[in-house]
Amino acid sequence: MDRLLRQLSQLAITVFGIVTVTFFLVRMIPGDPAQYMLGDYATEEALATLRAQLGLDQPVYVQYGLYVLRAVTGDFGSSVVTGRPALEEILFSLPDSAILAFAGLAVAVVIGIPLGILTAERQGSWSDMLIMIVALFGISFPVFWLGLASVLLFSQELKWFPALGASSGGGLLTHLHHLVLPAGVLGISVAAYITRLTRSAMLEVLGQDCIRVARAMGVPERRVVWRLALKNALVPILAIVGVTFAWSLGSAILIEVVFSRPGIGSMILKAVSARDYQLVQAGVLVLAVAVVLVNSLLDLAYGLVDPRLSTR
Amino acid sequence: MDGINRKERAGRIERSGVNRRQFGTLLAAGALVAGSGWPLPASAAPPVLRVRIGSDIGNLDPARIFQIENQTVATQIFNGLVKYDEATNAIVPDLATGWEISGDGTVYSFALRGGVTWHKGFGPFTSDDVKFSFERVLDPQTGSSYSGQLASIKSIETPSPDRVVITLKEPNSGFLHKVSAFNQGWIVSRKALGEIGDKAFALNPVGTGPFVFQNWAPGREVKLSANKDYFAGAPKVEEVQFRVIKDETAAAIALENGEVDIFFGLQQPEVIQRLKGGGLVTVLDRDANHTINLVLNTSIKPLGDVRVRQAIYHAINRKALIDGFFKGTKTEASGFLTSSFQEFTDQVPLFPYDPAKAKALLKEAGVGSFSLDLVAPGANPYDKIVVPIASDLAAVGIDAKIKVLERGAYLQARNKGTVPTCVTGVVGAPDPDSPILSLFAKSSFPPGLNTAHYEGIEDLIAAARQAQGDAARKEVYGKIQAKVMGDVPVIPLYADHLFIAHTKKVSGFVQNSLFTMSAYPVSLLEA
């Protein structure tokens, strides 16, 4: 219970810090939301009216105070472009982002962890070298390049999958059909990262005394690697998955742009260029909560994997 | 691995979940599924027209509308009193069936079409809606960016539901342009706005147009359905979906795959070439209603000297820019108006590429080498075209420094009026009054768009408004174009050229020069 409370208070402090930093950072970008909305023909009166309506005529610290007061009651303001509640707009695009991030992560875990174990097991062999080189390429190639290349190959040439990463209707199968390429590309780029880190974690564990003892006692190698070593390496691997979740959310922005897939990433990007302050803040808040929550869940999972950690 | 031989390892692999044979079977099955295609689905009946837009929409309220994507969607929903003919740009009836102009050019009396109803059961359209729409734009509380466009209106009377009489403060020969179906000219329903409310109306618009707004999924698409009761007859497609696809390459592939029917906002030269070369789709093009200009701030030294401005004009190799950078996808401009304007003339002073003459003019003006900031917004292609321009200027001894600013920062800098130069285009309807007033009138000095601080044509602007009849207007606007292009407050870099591509299924499509598109005449053939 204490542990849960501590986790929750850490979560609250982290989110508050992130939102505050975002609030001031966004306002440091030059440019006027009113000007953006009203465009080239706007008169000074029209601009002043809109600024007053948006509360932008107040000093920044007053805006901040009002923002925090409202946020506590769950009111994160309205998008200056569409006039709709900012949090509502962000939450509307949350499922798209979450599906992509989790599908990508699933692909990455399914590919990355077994490959990482395999390479650790066969350290120095040609297959280890080959996989590590491929993984290096996977990390080095920009996600958007992989995305465009996969669209050209699988969509344009082979016509197996649609070029667009989201469908506007149809059943589950149609949605899955549209999801394959974006999730695959995101998964592969993250898998390379997971492979390398899993390999290091496994190598470290495989070098430990307990493994030598197990081997000396004649425990079958498969059991040594997949049960003993993997169990010990699972904590760092889980930590890697937590880190890569945040990282894959970042990559998801590029995926969303290349595959024209709606999501929080592309929405925040658009909101930044439109100086849509409320939408940027709501978006960053939701992302921050997602990352912190996933990491907190993983923290709790460490305890299950390794009981020593839960008593710390 | 110590002490484990190959045989043992092979045995272990056998014992693990999947053996080699099973793995092979899986691979083969995978290849079969992949090879069988899971083919791209054919488009669904009833006929749905799918249009690619490059950016999401945000506001469809005519009083506050901005951005070409919003305008493209709104144009399917709303009507104006008059509209531009898609093919010729001539002003033709829309909600008004005819109009009379008083002898002194100050009273416009419009006869309105009968039997027109608002979408979603908001009742009949009447003259009161016209009065409401224009007064709403003029009301400072609305904060409309178009209030200046309708500023010449003195009063609006509604003697009967099918007649509206607009009295102007002074004659304005271009008034029909102001009430044409674009931005401030679109008519909204008083009843609908009252019930829906200003804020919600922006994304739940009610119009009289051929399509009815259905819903908007942020970042994804906008759906419109056919207005079966449209006064000019029901549209030929049941539904229009505007799908947000940012990347042009992805959009091109989607078009060729038949995932979308119309590629709106086609701009990248490489993508245009690719679609043209592929031969799978139809690529249309025509001149837009605007030029992209390099504005020279005449209030800053040494740009105050007309010879320096002319020298800069001579120094820029605009043809190389069009052929090299844009691969021929833009056209050369002789002035700030394009040939799509009925008042266009090419009888203006010309300053062809001539670096030697540029150097001579600079020498004549007694100007040694100086440095000049080229300010551009950080958006393709503006942030890139300044590079060849800077190198052209360097060749005649002007040390041009490129300053690319993010759009918000750019607008702020330009509106302060302190930038020595800036790259800008004034996109809009083929109404000469709007770009001339915005770019060259004293009333548009910063924070307006007259970043050049130019004031050489005040009397001609007044004369243009008084001029009645096409011939008289053409003469005055001809004089304006000649005077401005001789004084060089702006250098027209190129005339924008619009491209739109569609699949072979699309028929009846007419490309306009407004940067928008109408789905109304489009029908879809069976593939």
Side-chain angles (χ1 to χ4, degrees):
Chain A
M1 198 60 193
D2 267 3
R3 191 179 160 76
L4 194 69
L5 273 179
R6 206 171 56 232
Q7 288 276 0
L8 281 176
S9 57
Q10 274 175 4
L11 193 150
I13 292 166
T14 312
V15 168
F16 181 75
I18 289 171
V19 169
T20 302
V21 169
T22 316
F23 182 93
F24 289 103
L25 271 184
V26 173
R27 275 159 184 77
M28 278 167 70
I29 312 173
D32 176 5
Q35 183 74 58
Y36 181 91
M37 284 178 69
L38 295 181
D40 289 343
Y41 290 109
T43 59
E44 266 308 286
E45 291 147 294
L47 287 169
T49 311
L50 186 64
R51 279 188 208 116
Q53 279 172 5
L54 298 172
L56 296 172
D57 51 346
Q58 309 275 344
V60 176
Y61 61 89
V62 176
Q63 291 182 38
Y64 176 71
L66 285 172
Y67 175 70
V68 171
L69 278 179
R70 290 200 193 114
V72 171
T73 64
D75 175 8
F76 289 89
S78 300
S79 158
V80 297
V81 176
T82 64
R84 303 203 326 171
L87 197 60
E88 195 180 286
E89 269 203 32
I90 290 292
L91 290 178
F92 183 88
S93 60
L94 181 63
D96 284 311
S97 292
I99 288 170
L100 178 62
F102 282 111
L105 204 60
V107 172
V109 166
V110 166
I111 298 175
I113 292 182
L115 280 185
I117 294 170
L118 203 72
T119 49
E121 195 187 358
R122 300 180 179 187
Q123 189 194 5
S125 72
W126 65 267
S127 54
D128 173 31
M129 300 263 281
L130 187 71
I131 291 170
M132 279 302 102
I133 289 169
V134 172
L136 189 66
F137 274 114
I139 291 170
S140 317
F141 276 118
V143 178
F144 67 86
W145 185 92
L146 278 179
L148 278 177
S150 73
V151 168
L152 286 174
L153 179 62
F154 295 108
S155 184
Q156 192 197 354
E157 291 303 322
L158 300 172
K159 303 210 184 299
W160 290 354
F161 301 103
L164 307 181
S167 72
S168 64
L172 181 67
L173 207 64
T174 313
H175 283 287
L176 280 177
H177 194 196
H178 283 266
L179 182 65
V180 174
L181 282 189
V185 169
L186 178 60
I188 283 168
S189 65
V190 181
Y193 194 61
I194 291 187
T195 304
R196 287 182 70 87
L197 294 174
T198 304
R199 180 177 181 270
S200 318
M202 282 297 286
L203 281 178
E204 198 183 321
V205 175
L206 283 172
Q208 283 172 4
D209 288 345
C210 59
I211 300 293
R212 281 202 203 102
V213 170
R215 279 179 178 154
M217 288 173 70
V219 179
E221 185 62 19
R222 184 162 164 252
R223 199 179 157 80
V224 169
V225 172
W226 290 88
R227 290 276 171 83
L228 293 174
L230 182 58
K231 200 174 172 189
N232 280 301
L234 215 49
V235 170
I237 290 173
L238 279 180
I240 293 158
V241 172
V243 171
T244 42
F245 175 74
W247 195 62
S248 69
L249 276 177
S251 306
I253 297 179
L254 294 171
I255 299 270
E256 283 167 16
V257 172
V258 171
F259 289 97
S260 309
R261 196 183 152 82
I264 294 183
S266 47
M267 188 170 267
I268 295 178
L269 206 65
K270 190 186 78 182
V272 169
S273 62
R275 302 288 176 276
D276 196 342
Y277 297 155
Q278 318 295 347
L279 202 57
V280 175
Q281 275 149 215
V284 172
L285 174 87
V286 169
L287 282 185
V289 169
V291 170
V292 174
L293 262 182
V294 166
N295 279 297
S296 299
L297 286 175
L298 286 170
D299 264 355
L300 293 173
Y302 298 158
L304 298 176
V305 174
D306 188 344
R308 283 173 303 173
L309 292 173
S310 62
T311 53
R312 205 165 55 187
Chain B
M1 282 303 129
D2 309 359
I4 305 173
N5 62 34
R6 281 162 108 32
K7 202 175 163 188
E8 278 180 63
R9 201 185 295 161
R12 282 189 200 113
I13 292 169
E14 282 294 328
R15 284 193 304 277
S16 69
V18 181
N19 65 28
R20 276 190 188 137
R21 203 171 57 228
Q22 285 167 323
F23 183 67
T25 316
L26 271 176
L27 254 185
L32 200 68
V33 169
S36 69
W38 195 352
L40 295 172
S43 70
V48 175
L49 180 69
R50 296 154 307 169
V51 181
R52 174 264 178 177
I53 49 175
S55 182
D56 203 1
I57 63 158
N59 191 329
L60 302 174
D61 177 352
R64 301 194 184 89
I65 199 162
F66 65 106
Q67 219 173 272
I68 220 70
E69 287 78 11
N70 293 313
Q71 285 155 335
T72 298
V73 173
T75 203
Q76 326 294 331
I77 300 167
F78 295 106
N79 293 102
L81 289 178
V82 294
K83 65 178 180 183
Y84 294 107
D85 181 272
E86 296 264 320
T88 64
N89 277 345
I91 291 181
V92 295
D94 198 9
L95 285 173
T97 50
W99 51 90
E100 289 158 17
I101 307 167
S102 67
D104 64 352
T106 56
V107 183
Y108 281 68
S109 175
F110 295 90
L112 304 181
R113 199 178 289 276
V116 177
T117 52
W118 292 103
H119 299 158
K120 303 180 179 180
F122 279 99
F125 154 78
T126 68
S127 56
D128 180 55
D129 293 310
V130 178
K131 182 178 164 73
F132 171 73
S133 300
F134 294 155
E135 285 179 351
R136 181 167 173 263
V137 170
L138 285 167
D139 182 355
Q141 273 310 304
T142 310
S144 171
S145 45
Y146 304 111
S147 52
Q149 295 283 314
L150 297 181
S152 59
I153 294 178
K154 186 174 156 196
S155 65
I156 304 170
E157 313 293 331
T158 54
S160 70
D162 61 356
R163 182 159 289 275
V164 64
V165 179
I166 302 175
T167 307
L168 306 183
K169 291 171 188 159
E170 56 199 30
N172 182 349
S173 62
F175 184 67
L176 285 178
H177 285 288
K178 307 297 181 196
V179 293
S180 193
F182 201 63
N183 296 346
Q184 76 279 352
W186 280 316
I187 307 297
V188 297
S189 155
R190 183 193 287 268
K191 189 171 178 225
L193 255 152
E195 285 182 24
I196 297 171
D198 259 37
K199 269 195 171 171
F201 187 84
L203 285 166
N204 189 13
V206 172
T208 50
F211 291 93
V212 182
F213 183 86
Q214 287 303 320
N215 64 49
W216 167 63
R220 193 185 292 262
E221 68 187 358
V222 186
K223 276 188 187 166
L224 312 179
S225 63
N227 176 8
K228 308 267 185 200
D229 302 323
Y230 187 52
F231 59 76
K236 297 175 189 78
V237 295
E238 295 280 318
E239 189 177 298
V240 182
Q241 293 178 359
F242 288 94
R243 304 199 62 178
V244 184
I245 307 172
K246 287 192 177 67
D247 187 79
E248 285 202 25
T249 308
I253 294 171
L255 185 78
E256 289 182 336
N257 280 352
E259 292 172 62
V260 291
D261 305 302
I262 295 178
F263 186 141
F264 172 80
L266 173 54
Q267 281 181 306
Q268 281 178 19
E270 298 75 19
V271 179
I272 294 167
Q273 280 185 330
R274 173 209 152 101
L275 286 176
K276 275 186 169 172
L280 296 168
V281 299
T282 307
V283 181
L284 302 174
D285 63 305
R286 75 176 284 183
D287 279 322
N289 292 329
H290 64 275
T291 50
I292 302 300
N293 306 296
L294 181 67
V295 178
L296 303 174
N297 188 340
T298 60
S299 71
I300 287 177
K301 277 184 182 170
L303 299 179
D305 189 325
V306 69
R307 290 166 297 187
V308 176
R309 302 198 296 269
Q310 291 174 344
I312 294 174
Y313 203 158
H314 274 304
I316 300 174
N317 190 347
R318 300 177 304 144
K319 189 162 188 328
L321 187 72
I322 291 163
D323 293 344
F325 184 84
F326 288 110
K327 301 184 168 61
T329 58
K330 305 289 179 199
T331 42
E332 276 192 78
S334 57
F336 59 90
L337 291 185
T338 60
S339 57
S340 58
F341 284 80
Q342 292 179 343
E343 296 80 2
F344 169 79
T345 177
D346 55 6
Q347 301 301 307
V348 297
L350 297 172
F351 301 87
Y353 176 56
D354 189 345
K357 191 145 190 205
K359 281 183 192 166
L361 275 166
L362 287 175
K363 201 172 170 191
E364 192 188 315
V367 176
S369 67
F370 66 99
S371 76
L372 184 67
D373 285 349
L374 294 179
V375 181
N380 193 24
Y382 311 114
D383 54 350
K384 299 193 180 65
I385 58 171
V386 283
V387 178
I389 293 172
S391 106
D392 284 345
L393 293 181
V396 299
I398 300 171
D399 176 22
K401 292 190 167 60
I402 293 167
K403 277 202 174 164
V404 174
L405 302 177
E406 193 278 329
R407 187 179 138 83
Y410 166 82
L411 288 177
Q412 209 166 38
R414 189 190 64 187
N415 292 7
K416 270 190 194 160
T418 51
V419 290
T421 73
C422 65
V423 179
T424 197
V426 180
V427 181
D431 162 17
D433 190 46
S434 286
I436 288 171
L437 223 62
S438 309
L439 288 170
F440 308 120
K442 212 177 163 188
S443 58
S444 300
F445 268 22
L449 274 184
N450 188 350
T451 321
H453 292 81
Y454 178 70
E455 50 179 318
I457 52 165
E458 293 303 304
D459 49 340
L460 285 171
I461 289 176
R465 295 194 151 188
Q466 304 277 348
Q468 296 294 330
D470 289 348
R473 271 169 66 84
K474 204 167 158 55
E475 194 194 327
V476 183
Y477 279 114
K479 280 184 189 163
I480 292 180
Q481 290 168 72
K483 167 81 172 126
V484 169
M485 290 331 296
D487 290 345
V488 200
V490 300
I491 295 171
L493 297 172
Y494 59 87
D496 219 342
H497 204 65
L498 299 175
F499 290 84
I500 276 189
H502 62 71
T503 60
K504 308 277 186 192
K505 270 170 70 184
V506 170
S507 115
F509 183 81
V510 183
Q511 188 186 16
N512 66 31
S513 65
L514 280 174
F515 228 123
T516 63
M517 56 146 280
S518 168
Y520 179 62
V522 173
S523 57
L524 289 170
L525 305 170
E526 287 303 316

